Amino acid sequence: SDMCIRDRTYAFTLDLNVSLQGRTDNSGNYTIILYNVNDLINPAYSLIETANAAGNISLSTNIIQGSYKVLVKHPMYLQRLLNLTLTGNQTETVTELLAGDSIDDNAINILDFGILSGTFGLSSGQSGYDSRADFDNNNSVNIFDFGLFSGNFFQTGDNQND
């Protein structure tokens, strides 16, 4: 009987390429959540993955073939949505993540400004320095970080319903 063959599920590797606004080094830990398009309530996969400086992430688990909404989040950047139909081993590029989400709530607002203003003009090692507002990752919070923040003020990140 060939019944088993028809019911077989295939799983594939998924690599993502990510980039962070204002940075040349895209390394760090990213939250990656995959929702099957038929269930936008319960994540099919929820992963914490590490990118290298070039922004390459190889997911640590194989993904069952199908159509997904993939959410990609860095703690200081707005979440991005990638619509994905996985039919084989794939590499996908995620739209650049926007800077300014110091408190990691997927919105850039007055709460994030509070973090930025409280540490503005300070550098790593100084009392009161908060790296969550160092969007360009140069170990000081300055006008360049403010520029990234202010350009994205009042924006919110994507979610699986977008």
Side-chain angles (χ1 to χ4, degrees), residues 31-82:
T31 302
I32 300 170
I33 302 173
L34 289 86
Y35 288 90
N36 187 291
V37 293
N38 299 315
D39 180 0
L40 299 180
I41 305 294
N42 305 295
Y45 302 87
S46 186
L47 309 164
I48 305 281
E49 302 288 0
T50 303
N52 64 13
N56 298 315
I57 299 173
S58 294
L59 267 56
S60 56
T61 188
N62 284 358
I63 307 299
I64 293 172
Q65 70 182 30
S67 295
Y68 295 94
K69 298 221 176 219
V70 183
L71 298 175
V72 178
K73 179 83 172 73
H74 178 285
M76 294 156 55
Y77 290 74
L78 294 180
Q79 185 166 261
R80 284 289 190 191
L81 170 68
L82 172 70

Side-chain angles (χ1 to χ4, degrees), residues 19-32:
S19 57
L20 299 172
Q21 182 189 29
R23 291 193 186 192
T24 53
D25 180 345
N26 299 294
S27 62
N29 290 334
Y30 292 75
T31 302
I32 300 170

